[in-house]
């Protein structure tokens, strides 16, 4: 529809609206004759609008016919191009055959030429889709109408063939990519193939499919030219790939440098039950004794849970009942239980070699009794009430100390 007709329609519409409003306002005051005249004018305007609508529909029909005619012309042009290609191919075949025959003996040259010229179409081989490096469907823009049609493409080393479908090899067309061809990457899945004669605009089904076609065309010595955003994305991809390679090499070197935790070589190894600081429960731990440290772990298969006891200065061992023994250090007393008395004695023997003092319970008792007797002789006798008060005070002090140590110390 033209701009003039659209403007006239809009003008008449506005006029009709105005007149309807005027008629409503003046219907009570205007005479019947005037009303009749207004109605006639209104009818004329409505007829004009109707005529414009019919003309618009006619224009639409004419435009559709023109488009159909253009499509038919394009199809005829394509068919003529196909015929030309077929005839050119046949002429080339005949020329090649004649050149081969001219090199042979002179006898029988005329007969062979007649056979070639007279060969019926039924004996000619049927067209076949060639085997390509890559095959698949792409949307190709037509030269005349600029519409996109789905075509089946076959890529070889020096030619890109395309057909109306993968089941119809008779309508073969080709694009020569043997020399000076460029591929330009456009936004989305669109890319242009610039040949000598023409630029082909193609659309793939996905970005991955587009990149796959471009990769294969690049291997056929076609120049790839990224445009705009694609350049930046390509540069980013290259930068990211180089960064990833550097990080991989650095991680590999770090892995080689950073070794996994390993148990140290010890004088003695084995399991002991150790009392926890807070809950006072005994848990089995794996112990490794070296010259100046006693390491312990949750199990013999987990060296990552390493903890250690420093044996370098002022450590003592108190031998307890059955398989029990205590290891006293500056910071803490470790209560340990072996599986047997023989195992306990073996541990004490090795710990003694590390310059640790060993004290049995009998010796400790005798030392404590002697100390008590000496203190009793030196001190003056106290009343029974005083002794009871001292005992109560001492017990309260001991209880507060035990509670403070339980809160402050951290259990395993």
């Amino acid at each position: 529809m033209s701009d003039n007709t659209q403007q006239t329609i809009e003008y008449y519409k506005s006029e009709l609206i105005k007149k309807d409003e005027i008629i409503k306002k003046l219907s009570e005051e205007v005479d019947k004759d005037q009303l009749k005249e207004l109605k006639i004018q209104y009818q004329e305007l409505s007829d004009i609008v109707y005529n414009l609508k019919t003309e618009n529909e006619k224009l639409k029909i004419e435009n559709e016919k023109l488009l159909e005619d253009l499509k038919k012309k394009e199809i005829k042009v394509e068919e003529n191009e196909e015929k030309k290609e077929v005839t050119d191919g046949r002429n080339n075949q005949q020329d090649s055959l004649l050149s081969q025959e001219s090199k042979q003996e002179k006898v029988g040259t005329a007969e062979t030429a007649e056979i070639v010229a007279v060969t019926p179409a039924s004996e000619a081989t049927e067209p076949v889709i060639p085997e390509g490096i890559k095959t698949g469907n792409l949307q190709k823009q037509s030269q005349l109408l600029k519409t996109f049609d789905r075509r089946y493409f076959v890529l070889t080393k020096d030619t890109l063939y395309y057909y109306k479908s993968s089941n119809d090899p008779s309508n073969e067309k080709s694009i020569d990519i043997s020399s000076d061809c460029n591929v330009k990457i456009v936004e989305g899945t669109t890319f242009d193939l610039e040949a000598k004669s023409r630029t082909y605009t193609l659309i793939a089904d996905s970005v991955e499919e587009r990149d796959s076609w471009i990769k294969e065309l690049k291997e056929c010595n076609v120049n790839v030219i990224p445009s705009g955003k694609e350049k930046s994305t390509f540069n980013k991809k290259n930068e990211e790939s180089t960064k990833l390679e550097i990080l991989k090499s650095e991680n590999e070197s770090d892995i080689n440098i950073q070794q996994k935790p390993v148990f140290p070589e010890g004088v003695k190894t084995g399991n002991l039950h150790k009392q926890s600081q807070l809950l006072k429960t005994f848990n089995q731990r794996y112990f490794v004794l070296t010259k100046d440290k006693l390491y312990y772990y949750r199990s013999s298969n987990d060296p990552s849970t390493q903890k250690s006891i420093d044996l370098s200065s002022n450590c003592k061992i108190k031998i307890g009942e059955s398989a029990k023994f205590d290891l006293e250090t500056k910071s803490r007393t470790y209560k340990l239980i072996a599986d047997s008395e023989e195992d306990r004695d073996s541990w004490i023997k090795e710990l003694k070699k590390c310059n640790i003092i060993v004290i049995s319970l009998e010796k400790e008792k005798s030392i404590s009794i002697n100390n008590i007797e000496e203190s009793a002789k030196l001190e003056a006798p106290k009343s029974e009430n005083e002794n009871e008060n001292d005992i109560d005070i001492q017990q309260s002090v001991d209880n507060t100390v035990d509670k403070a140590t339980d809160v402050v110390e951290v259990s395993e």
Side-chain angles (χ1 to χ4, degrees):
M1 187 186 291
S2 63
D3 294 331
N4 292 325
T5 54
Q6 186 67 33
Q7 287 176 359
T8 53
I9 289 166
E10 289 177 356
Y11 173 76
Y12 284 123
K13 282 181 180 179
S14 63
E15 290 295 320
L16 285 170
I17 292 163
K18 288 177 182 178
K19 285 181 179 180
D20 285 331
E21 290 175 356
I22 293 164
I23 288 165
K24 285 179 182 179
K25 289 178 181 178
L26 301 175
S27 60
E28 296 176 357
E29 299 175 0
V30 178
D31 295 334
K32 291 181 179 181
D33 295 331
Q34 290 178 347
L35 284 170
K36 286 180 181 179
E37 289 178 1
L38 289 170
K39 285 180 181 179
I40 292 163
Q41 289 178 0
Y42 181 80
Q43 187 64 39
E44 289 175 355
L45 289 169
S46 60
D47 292 337
I48 291 166
V49 172
Y50 177 76
N51 291 328
L52 288 169
K53 285 181 179 179
T54 52
E55 286 178 3
N56 187 18
E57 289 176 357
K58 287 179 182 179
L59 287 169
K60 282 183 181 178
I61 293 164
E62 288 177 359
N63 286 328
E64 288 175 357
K65 285 181 180 179
L66 287 170
L67 287 170
E68 287 178 359
D69 293 336
L70 286 170
K71 283 183 180 179
K72 287 178 182 179
K73 286 179 181 179
E74 187 179 6
I75 291 164
K76 285 181 181 179
V77 169
E78 288 180 353
E79 288 176 353
N80 290 327
E81 287 178 357
E82 288 173 2
K83 287 178 182 178
K84 283 181 182 179
E85 287 175 358
V86 171
T87 53
D88 291 337
R90 286 179 181 174
N91 290 328
N92 290 327
Q93 287 178 357
Q94 287 179 359
D95 292 336
S96 62
L97 288 169
L98 289 169
S99 63
Q100 288 176 2
E101 287 168 358
S102 63
K103 291 178 182 178
Q104 296 175 355
E105 294 180 357
K106 292 181 180 180
V107 179
T109 52
E111 293 177 358
T112 54
E114 287 176 1
I115 290 165
V116 171
V118 176
T119 50
S122 61
E123 292 180 2
T125 56
E126 292 181 357
V128 180
I129 295 173
E131 293 182 359
I133 302 163
K134 183 173 174 60
T135 61
N137 292 312
L138 291 169
Q139 299 281 338
K140 184 184 76 68
Q141 192 179 44
S142 64
Q143 214 168 359
L144 188 61
L145 295 176
K146 303 299 179 183
T147 57
F148 283 91
D149 302 308
R150 197 171 182 81
R151 296 288 180 262
Y152 181 72
F153 283 79
V154 178
L155 177 65
T156 62
K157 288 182 179 180
D158 55 358
T159 308
L160 180 63
Y161 299 94
Y162 62 95
Y163 309 85
K164 285 190 176 179
S165 69
S166 59
N167 300 321
D168 189 7
S170 62
N171 55 1
E172 181 183 87
K173 292 186 180 181
S174 61
I175 304 167
D176 185 14
I177 58 170
S178 59
S179 60
D180 296 332
C181 281
N182 298 322
V183 170
K184 280 188 179 180
I185 300 167
V186 191
E187 290 183 358
T189 58
T190 309
F191 64 100
D192 293 340
L193 178 60
E194 294 181 351
K196 284 185 177 180
S197 58
R198 176 185 164 189
T199 297
Y200 296 85
T201 302
L202 306 170
I203 300 175
D205 292 336
S206 63
V207 176
E208 291 78 13
E209 185 67 16
R210 181 202 68 180
D211 294 339
S212 177
W213 276 103
I214 290 168
K215 183 182 177 184
E216 297 298 336
L217 286 165
K218 192 176 181 181
E219 289 181 0
C220 297
N221 298 321
V222 177
N223 299 319
V224 179
I225 303 168
S227 61
K229 293 179 182 178
E230 295 291 334
K231 282 185 180 179
S232 61
T233 52
F234 278 3
N235 292 329
K236 283 180 182 177
K237 284 180 181 178
N238 291 327
E239 287 176 1
E240 286 174 358
S241 61
T242 51
K243 284 179 182 178
L244 286 170
E245 288 175 359
I246 292 163
L247 287 170
K248 281 181 183 177
S249 62
E250 287 178 354
N251 289 329
E252 286 174 359
S253 61
D254 290 338
I255 288 162
N256 293 325
I257 292 165
Q258 293 176 357
Q259 296 179 352
K260 291 181 179 179
V262 181
F263 292 110
E265 292 183 1
V267 180
K268 182 174 174 59
T269 60
N271 292 315
L272 291 169
H273 285 83
K274 185 182 74 65
Q275 190 183 49
S276 65
Q277 274 185 305
L278 187 61
L279 298 175
K280 304 301 180 184
T281 57
F282 282 90
N283 301 308
Q284 189 175 23
R285 295 289 180 261
Y286 180 72
F287 284 79
V288 178
L289 176 63
T290 62
K291 289 181 180 181
D292 56 355
K293 285 188 180 181
L294 181 63
Y295 298 95
Y296 61 95
Y297 309 85
R298 288 188 182 275
S299 68
S300 59
N301 298 321
D302 191 2
S304 63
T305 58
Q306 186 189 77
K307 293 187 179 181
S308 62
I309 304 167
D310 187 14
L311 306 174
S312 59
S313 61
N314 297 327
C315 289
K316 294 177 183 180
I317 290 175
K318 288 184 181 180
I319 302 169
E321 295 176 353
S322 64
K324 295 179 181 180
F325 66 101
D326 296 344
L327 178 61
E328 292 183 355
T329 63
K330 285 183 179 181
S331 59
R332 176 183 166 189
T333 298
Y334 295 87
K335 293 186 178 293
L336 306 169
I337 302 173
D339 293 335
S340 63
E341 289 185 1
E342 291 79 9
D343 190 23
R344 179 199 66 182
D345 295 338
S346 176
W347 276 103
I348 291 168
K349 183 181 177 181
E350 295 298 333
L351 286 163
K352 196 174 179 181
K353 290 179 183 179
C354 299
N355 298 321
I356 295 173
I357 300 166
V358 179
I359 302 168
S360 63
L361 282 173
E362 292 177 357
K363 286 182 180 179
E364 190 178 9
K365 284 178 182 178
S366 63
I367 290 163
S368 63
I369 289 163
N370 292 327
N371 290 330
I372 289 163
E373 287 176 355
E374 288 175 0
S375 62
K377 288 177 182 179
L378 291 169
E379 291 178 356
K382 294 181 180 179
S383 65
E384 292 179 358
N385 292 326
E386 287 177 350
N387 289 329
E388 288 176 359
N389 290 328
D390 291 339
I391 290 162
D392 293 335
I393 291 162
Q394 187 63 36
Q395 285 179 354
S396 64
V397 169
D398 292 337
N399 290 328
T400 54
V401 170
D402 290 336
K403 287 178 181 178
T405 52
D406 288 337
V407 171
V408 172
E409 290 176 349
V410 178
S411 66
E412 294 180 11

